[in-house]
Amino acid sequence: MHDSEQEHSGITGCRVTYESTIFYNEANKFSIIVVKTNDPRIPLQACSGRYYGDRMLRFTAVGYELPRTKAVELELDGEWVESKYGYQLQVEQWQEIVPQTADGLLAYLGSGLIRGIGPKTAEDIVATFGPDTLNILDNEPEKLLQIRGITEGKLKDIEESYAESRVLRNLMSLLGPFKITPATALKIYQNFGPACVDILKKCPYDLCQISGFGFKRVDGIVRKTDNRLHSAERIKGAVLYTLEDARSKSGHLFLPSEDLVKETLLLLNAPIPIPEQRVRAEEVQETLQQMILHGAVVAYKQYLYSPRVFGQEDDTARMIAERLANISVAENIESTLESVRESLGITLSQKQEQAVRTAFRHGLTIITGSPGTGKTTVLKAIIEVFQNLHPKGKFALMAPTGRASRRMAESTGVDEARTLHSALGLWHRGRSGRW
């Protein structure tokens, strides 16, 4: 019996069957569907007022990438919400229940849910493997090559589609508290690969590597179920986030050990009001030593890098060394420089002209100066001279951070994706490798 006076905040394990689609967004996979069930826990205000001969209850479910096929049953977990369209179930987690009968397997495989398998191929697969079909897909997919029409290429599509759909579903279930969209789940999958669910189960703080998942957001949710304030995983997550935050916001390629410990402690202890429960500097230092030993952080003297940024800086140093080792042929740019001044309508100071000429006499030129000293004007002149001398030449703006590269591209009007061969302009502005 339904109790219309009862408060209905949510439901778990509600087994339903797909009925129809009200709305589906191809871009973000947002779905509004009608489902039917015999579950007596459905609140009256959510049920359709229409009468159906099968006496099953119909209600509206909303969520991301909900299967729109009658080939499988679904188990839904979610919250009941009141909207302008009525009482609906906001689905937080769901899973498919594939009937283990020949008809059920045939309907599932032939539904279009798995790329590379159509109705005829589904029929052949079920006829060949019978009730063992799903086990074959899970553990021995190479046996599908026995099926006529399944080539090596098609098998790869089938494996990728089947594995990806299952991983994404498990991932969305694992990260249900984060309210992620399928697009975000796909981004996480692409970053960590097929083992993403196991990786994040072991250390959810690895999510901080994904744009949009700041340490505070991840930490707040993790601590609701695992409030180990002093765990090595939590401290490691805070260390890596601190390094990345310093790079993305301030352009610091590394941090001195003392600064990294200090900033990490501020991040870790911000949500802890009781002093006795706060993380101590010694704990961060101990975790840092373990991270260095295992290659999670790179130490150079007293400076600490993320491995990715250290590798980029090392590659940059190698490229600079190679450029300096090559003997450059100086170019005569006087007449071209004069026409460039006129075409751009600019007046260059003596030092600015010297900087432009230097760029065409040496394999490497470093342009530096405080804000407002004309670095961008010099760069524009260098680019314009190069384009006049080498109309078919290729060049790019190179900067250690994407934000710096975008600023340079915007100020010079040059696509930031192009490759610089004639001159390399570097702006060095302060501590910690900030460019």
Side-chain angles (χ1 to χ4, degrees), residues 331-388:
E331 295 188 75
N332 187 343
I333 67 167
E334 295 308 317
S335 60
T336 305
L337 180 56
E338 180 61 35
S339 65
V340 164
R341 279 196 297 255
E342 293 178 4
S343 64
L344 293 180
I346 59 175
T347 300
L348 297 174
S349 69
Q350 184 177 353
K351 284 189 176 181
Q352 287 176 321
E353 285 195 9
Q354 182 183 351
V356 175
R357 291 189 182 98
T358 301
F360 291 90
R361 291 176 185 165
H362 304 282
L364 174 69
T365 301
I366 298 177
I367 303 171
T368 186
S370 56
T373 55
K375 298 185 298 295
T376 299
T377 301
V378 171
L379 181 59
K380 284 182 178 179
I382 291 172
I383 291 171
E384 193 69 19
V385 169
F386 179 81
Q387 289 178 322
N388 277 268

Side-chain angles (χ1 to χ4, degrees), residues 259-433:
D259 289 358
L260 179 56
V261 171
K262 179 181 177 181
E263 295 298 323
T264 300
L265 281 171
L266 288 174
L267 191 62
L268 288 166
N269 291 328
I272 306 175
I274 303 174
E276 291 76 14
Q277 294 182 353
R278 291 174 183 163
V279 179
R280 294 175 289 106
E282 293 80 6
E283 294 175 274
V284 176
Q285 291 164 347
E286 182 179 341
T287 299
L288 262 176
Q289 287 303 312
Q290 291 300 313
M291 293 174 72
I292 292 169
L293 286 173
H294 292 90
V297 168
V298 177
Y300 176 72
K301 298 182 179 179
Q302 75 271 30
Y303 306 119
L304 297 171
Y305 295 77
S306 72
R308 178 177 62 84
V309 173
F310 182 81
Q312 291 172 339
E313 187 168 81
D314 188 59
D315 287 342
T316 301
R318 291 177 189 277
M319 289 188 288
I320 290 173
E322 289 172 2
R323 182 173 286 272
L324 290 174
N326 293 327
I327 299 174
S328 302
V329 178
E331 295 188 75
N332 187 343
I333 67 167
E334 295 308 317
S335 60
T336 305
L337 180 56
E338 180 61 35
S339 65
V340 164
R341 279 196 297 255
E342 293 178 4
S343 64
L344 293 180
I346 59 175
T347 300
L348 297 174
S349 69
Q350 184 177 353
K351 284 189 176 181
Q352 287 176 321
E353 285 195 9
Q354 182 183 351
V356 175
R357 291 189 182 98
T358 301
F360 291 90
R361 291 176 185 165
H362 304 282
L364 174 69
T365 301
I366 298 177
I367 303 171
T368 186
S370 56
T373 55
K375 298 185 298 295
T376 299
T377 301
V378 171
L379 181 59
K380 284 182 178 179
I382 291 172
I383 291 171
E384 193 69 19
V385 169
F386 179 81
Q387 289 178 322
N388 277 268
L389 292 173
H390 308 282
K392 295 184 179 180
K394 297 180 179 180
F395 63 90
L397 303 173
M398 299 177 66
T401 65
R403 187 173 61 175
S405 179
R406 285 192 296 274
R407 285 200 304 266
M408 291 165 65
E410 290 165 0
S411 63
T412 59
V414 175
D415 183 351
E416 64 179 292
R418 296 165 69 183
T419 307
L420 180 64
H421 295 298
S422 174
L424 177 63
L426 303 178
W427 286 258
H428 187 277
R429 296 189 184 174
R431 75 178 181 90
S432 302

Side-chain angles (χ1 to χ4, degrees), residues 46-269:
C47 297
S48 167
R50 294 181 58 187
Y51 173 79
Y52 294 88
D54 59 13
R55 297 188 178 278
M56 296 185 75
L57 306 172
R58 269 80 172 171
F59 65 89
T60 301
V62 299
Y64 289 94
E65 213 160 9
L66 301 176
R68 293 169 295 121
T69 173
K70 298 178 182 179
V72 296
E73 283 189 296
L74 303 175
E75 268 196 6
L76 307 179
D77 297 349
E79 296 291 325
W80 295 107
V81 296
E82 182 76 49
S83 76
K84 63 180 180 180
Y85 301 108
Y87 216 53
Q88 302 173 331
L89 182 66
Q90 180 72 53
V91 178
E92 296 178 352
Q93 300 180 40
W94 58 269
Q95 63 176 337
E96 297 168 346
I97 301 171
V98 181
Q100 296 297 304
T101 63
D103 287 343
L105 291 168
L106 188 60
Y108 172 65
L109 294 182
S111 65
L113 293 174
I114 303 174
R115 189 172 61 252
I117 299 181
K120 179 62 173 68
T121 303
E123 190 176 315
D124 292 342
I125 291 173
V126 174
T128 302
F129 301 111
D132 202 35
T133 294
L134 292 184
N135 180 55
I136 295 296
L137 280 167
D138 282 325
N139 303 306
E140 301 178 282
E142 65 279 358
K143 288 188 176 181
L144 293 178
L145 291 171
Q146 301 174 27
I147 306 301
R148 183 178 179 180
I150 296 185
T151 62
E152 292 279 358
K154 183 171 283 189
L155 176 62
K156 185 177 180 181
D157 281 346
I158 292 171
E159 288 183 279
E160 288 179 353
S161 177
Y162 184 71
E164 186 174 293
S165 66
R166 284 187 170 271
V167 170
L168 288 177
R169 185 166 62 252
N170 293 339
L171 186 61
M172 291 194 71
S173 176
L174 174 68
L175 301 179
F178 290 91
K179 310 293 184 184
I180 67 168
T181 66
T184 301
L186 183 60
K187 184 165 67 171
I188 295 169
Y189 175 85
Q190 291 169 341
N191 185 83
F192 295 108
C196 57
V197 173
D198 291 335
I199 290 171
L200 295 178
K201 278 183 178 178
K202 183 178 180 181
C203 185
Y205 289 98
D206 283 349
L207 268 179
C208 296
Q209 300 174 32
I210 306 295
S211 175
F213 287 90
F215 179 84
K216 291 180 181 179
R217 179 187 179 192
V218 174
D219 190 49
I221 292 174
V222 171
R223 285 189 296 105
K224 289 180 180 178
T225 55
D226 182 4
N227 198 29
R228 294 181 300 152
L229 301 176
H230 301 259
S231 71
E233 291 81 8
R234 183 171 184 258
I235 296 173
K236 178 182 175 182
V239 167
L240 294 176
Y241 180 79
T242 299
L243 283 172
E244 177 58 24
D245 193 52
R247 185 202 64 81
S248 62
K249 290 184 179 178
S250 304
H252 300 318
L253 303 184
F254 58 79
L255 286 176
S257 176
E258 184 178 339
D259 289 358
L260 179 56
V261 171
K262 179 181 177 181
E263 295 298 323
T264 300
L265 281 171
L266 288 174
L267 191 62
L268 288 166
N269 291 328

